[in-house]
Amino acid sequence: MQKTIIIGSRGSDLALWQANFVKQQLAEINIPSLIEIITTKGDISHHLSFDKIEGKGFFTKELEDALLNKSVDLAVHSLKDLPTESPEGLTIGALSYREDPSELLLIKKEAFDPTSILSLKKGATVGTSSARRKSMLVCLQDNLAIKDLRGNVPTRINKLKDGQYDAILLAAAGVNRLKIDLSDLISIPLNPKFFVPAPGQGVLGLQCRSNDVFVLEILKKMHHQDVAETVGLEREILNKFEGGCHMPVGVFATKNRGNIDLFVRKSKDADSTPIFINKYDFSTENVSQLINTCNNPPKISVFISREIERVTLFKKVIEAHEGSVLAHSCISYILKNEVELPKFDRIFFSSPSTVNAFFEINSSVDRNKLVCDAIGTGTAYVLKKLGITPEFIGSDSDIEKVGNDYLQLLNNQTVLFPIGNNSHRTVQQIIENHVNIIEIEVLTKTSRPNLEKISADVFVFTSSSNINAYAQQHTLSQKATYIVPGAKTASTLRSYGVENVIIAKNPDESELLGLVYGSFL
């Protein structure tokens, strides 16, 4: 007679969804199972925030005790809640597929402000009890009121709808799995490479006894090895920090053509500014160096070729870790005279400077009637500050891929491209044989005279024009690290004999910050 496996689960809607998902997976391989509901410390301490509950594993300990005393055979956990080291006698026998790992920002419509970095109105009350989320929220938008939020997923959403909060942050995975109706809220998924989630977020951990050969053999059939490769690294890093699964650290790893790209955000506590680390082609041999960099951030000097008002996050984070930032453009812009705009269906902006120039020249244009597209979140953010939400945002360092992705969106439409002199025309070259394009020059770029010679550990050049302007007046240091957006800008830099070049995949402040600190790994 086939043994019936007893599955231990918490009693929340999400936990039961997870347990029933595993029950269904077992049924597909002809293994009968039953679900046993177990209450944990975390379930009965709704009045306390996570940092006020003593001990680790307060959503998991009672489930683990049930495994050890053999009242259940298998426990289903949200992996992000599971301590990185199992108690003696227990092991994680399988990891599930990974649901969307993103954080989901839910906003009441009256608190929505598309011109802010998080689309939240000034002074908005945001609900979360996670130190990691608190730290990131305050770092990104310092005029928010953070208020503790506990309860299961439907309870938290109902508290938002009842007006106790203006917005709340949740794991997208739980909302997706429960298929909750969010039609009366603004729902914004936050890119996990930007607002980095908890290690293992979106994955289920299936825990059993280490000596239960029967269950372990079954779990081998349910294990996702591809998920284990990235999530295993995330949890290894968390373990090396020697903190609980609710310490203020976000880690997200993803495979890219066989290599691992890593994104880390780490702060001392909920009120501290996190360090940002992005590292492409990360070597697991550098985990110890990563931990040391996070715990003891280097006091670095950085130059970035953007005006100071556009690098507030960049400056805030580096200065919080006792570094220094020099920020100014190496080029000047001369605006063109206003011309009568031709007829077009949509408008594509390739830089923040062309956005500002276009709307300064054409100040009378009705922004509400424009369909706007942008390359990069930095350009998109400038549009948002003008009250315009781009329909398309090309956020890949491979500009040819951006052009091809953009082409898929177009259907016999005429696209207007505001440009500067000597602009790269990669996107236009990709689409011009398929749709009608119109280019209008809105500004002329010229080198600023008498640029000072800069001494810095890291140079962030945001365009080829800035590189050329600086290199015409000063020799580029071979000792410094250089960060640039895109392969064409990197090629410009290398033409001056520079080799230590890092290419940003998205030239927004968060990405550039992460690469600055990631360059020390």
Side-chain angles (χ1 to χ4, degrees):
M1 182 176 178
Q2 181 69 273
K3 176 184 176 181
T4 298
I5 291 180
I6 307 300
I7 302 171
S9 171
R10 295 167 57 205
S12 70
D13 290 350
L14 180 57
L16 290 174
W17 183 98
Q18 294 172 171
N20 277 295
F21 170 79
V22 173
K23 188 174 187 291
Q24 179 183 347
Q25 295 271 292
L26 290 169
E28 290 175 1
I29 54 176
N30 300 314
I31 303 295
S33 60
L34 297 173
I35 296 173
E36 179 78 22
I37 296 176
I38 297 170
T39 302
T40 69
K41 183 192 296 184
D43 294 316
I44 60 178
S45 302
H46 290 298
H47 61 293
L48 296 175
S49 61
F50 295 144
D51 57 348
K52 299 295 191 300
I53 303 177
E54 295 182 2
K56 300 179 183 179
F58 45 84
F59 284 126
T60 60
K61 185 179 184 302
E62 289 77 8
L63 289 165
E64 292 177 329
D65 289 344
L67 280 171
L68 290 170
N69 66 32
K70 298 186 178 181
S71 58
V72 301
D73 303 302
L74 172 65
V76 182
H77 305 278
S78 291
L79 190 63
K80 69 184 181 69
D81 296 331
L82 193 60
T84 55
E85 294 182 354
S86 289
E88 185 176 353
L90 300 182
T91 188
I92 299 175
L95 298 178
S96 75
Y97 76 101
R98 190 167 207 173
E99 178 56 86
D100 183 352
S102 304
E103 302 279 44
L104 189 65
L105 182 61
L106 301 180
I107 309 172
K108 297 198 74 173
K109 292 180 180 178
E110 57 268 29
F112 179 65
D113 177 5
T115 66
S116 71
I117 191 167
L118 289 173
S119 298
L120 290 166
K121 71 176 184 181
K122 184 176 181 179
T125 298
V126 184
T128 179
S129 290
S130 160
R132 171 183 56 83
R133 289 170 176 160
K134 289 178 183 178
S135 175
M136 280 297 296
L137 285 167
V138 171
C139 177
L140 293 170
Q141 190 169 332
D142 57 9
N143 53 24
L144 301 175
I146 311 300
K147 182 180 174 183
D148 279 335
L149 172 66
R150 288 293 312 279
N152 58 38
V153 173
T155 298
R156 296 184 195 193
I157 294 175
N158 286 335
K159 287 181 179 180
L160 172 63
K161 293 181 177 181
D162 291 344
Q164 298 181 44
Y165 305 87
D166 294 309
I168 63 174
L169 260 179
L170 298 171
V175 178
N176 292 348
R177 284 168 170 154
L178 292 176
K179 294 181 169 53
I180 296 175
D181 180 15
L182 303 174
S183 58
D184 54 345
L185 300 169
I186 305 293
S187 177
I188 302 178
L190 301 177
N191 189 328
K193 299 177 182 179
F194 162 65
F195 201 111
V196 180
Q201 186 156 300
V203 179
L204 307 182
L206 280 55
Q207 193 178 37
C208 65
R209 290 180 290 277
S210 306
N211 61 359
D212 193 334
V213 177
F214 176 73
V215 173
L216 283 169
E217 284 300 314
I218 292 170
L219 292 182
K220 282 182 182 179
K221 302 175 184 178
M222 301 166 62
H223 181 59
H224 289 250
Q225 182 58 34
D226 56 333
V227 173
E229 291 176 14
T230 52
V231 168
L233 175 60
E234 293 173 16
R235 285 171 60 78
E236 178 188 355
I237 291 169
L238 177 62
N239 183 54
K240 295 288 187 182
F241 278 124
E242 298 180 351
C245 51
H246 295 287
M247 71 181 300
V249 59
V251 188
F252 178 61
T254 182
K255 295 199 79 170
N256 179 23
R257 298 176 182 175
N259 298 314
I260 290 180
D261 295 340
L262 185 68
F263 307 86
V264 178
R265 307 290 182 262
K266 169 68 168 61
S267 58
K268 293 179 181 177
D269 52 51
D271 299 318
S272 299
T273 301
I275 185 173
F276 288 52
I277 290 185
N278 293 12
K279 185 66 176 179
Y280 299 108
D281 299 338
F282 178 77
S283 171
T284 54
E285 296 176 356
N286 290 334
V287 169
S288 295
Q289 191 175 353
L290 167 70
I291 302 303
N292 183 60
T293 301
C294 287
N295 289 336
N296 304 284
K299 300 174 184 179
I300 52 177
S301 57
V302 184
F303 168 74
I304 182 168
S305 62
R306 284 182 178 173
E307 300 303 329
I308 198 70
E309 63 269 21
R310 286 191 36 227
V311 289
T312 50
L313 174 65
F314 193 89
K315 181 179 175 67
K316 177 179 181 178
V317 172
I318 291 174
E319 292 187 346
H321 297 294
E322 301 184 58
S324 61
V325 177
L326 177 63
H328 65 73
S329 178
C330 298
I331 54 180
S332 299
Y333 299 104
I334 301 172
L335 298 185
K336 296 290 186 177
N337 295 324
E338 182 176 3
V339 296
E340 183 177 351
L341 290 176
K343 291 184 178 180
F344 59 93
D345 299 303
R346 56 200 309 142
I347 180 168
F348 187 98
F349 291 101
S350 58
S351 69
S353 58
T354 54
V355 173
N356 291 325
F358 177 84
F359 287 105
E360 187 168 342
I361 293 171
N362 302 284
S363 57
S364 61
V365 69
D366 188 348
R367 300 174 189 175
N368 295 322
K369 293 183 179 180
L370 295 179
V371 178
C372 293
D373 308 302
I375 189 164
T377 54
T379 305
Y381 180 58
V382 175
L383 283 168
K384 285 178 63 178
K385 290 184 71 174
L386 294 171
I388 301 168
T389 301
E391 183 171 311
F392 171 87
I393 302 174
S395 56
D396 195 287
S397 63
D398 184 346
I399 306 302
E400 291 188 5
K401 182 178 184 304
V402 171
N404 285 313
D405 289 345
Y406 188 50
L407 181 60
Q408 303 307 310
L409 177 70
L410 305 175
N411 183 22
N412 296 321
Q413 294 173 298
T414 297
V415 185
L416 179 67
F417 285 84
I419 60 172
N421 62 317
N422 302 321
S423 294
H424 293 310
R425 298 188 66 259
T426 307
V427 173
Q428 293 97 303
Q429 289 170 354
I430 290 171
I431 71 172
E432 63 187 356
N433 292 329
H434 306 277
V435 297
N436 185 36
I437 70 168
I438 302 172
E439 294 179 326
I440 58 169
E441 193 169 302
V442 293
L443 54 83
T444 300
K445 303 173 186 177
T446 61
S447 299
R448 284 187 174 178
N450 304 318
L451 285 171
E452 62 179 295
K453 184 173 178 59
I454 298 164
S455 176
D457 300 311
V458 181
F459 286 75
V460 181
F461 281 115
T462 54
S463 69
S464 292
S465 300
N466 273 282
I467 295 170
N468 291 326
Y470 184 82
Q472 286 166 10
Q473 300 182 46
H474 302 289
T475 301
L476 293 168
S477 169
Q478 297 296 318
K479 295 180 180 179
T481 296
Y482 294 85
I483 298 172
V484 296
K488 286 198 171 182
T489 312
S491 178
T492 300
L493 194 54
R494 291 192 177 106
S495 71
Y496 291 100
V498 172
E499 294 299 329
N500 194 9
V501 182
I502 298 171
I503 298 177
K505 299 204 172 176
N506 191 345
D508 63 19
E509 293 181 34
S510 173
E511 163 81 337
L512 296 175
L513 262 174
L515 292 178
V516 164
Y517 286 106
S519 69
F520 289 85
L521 302 183

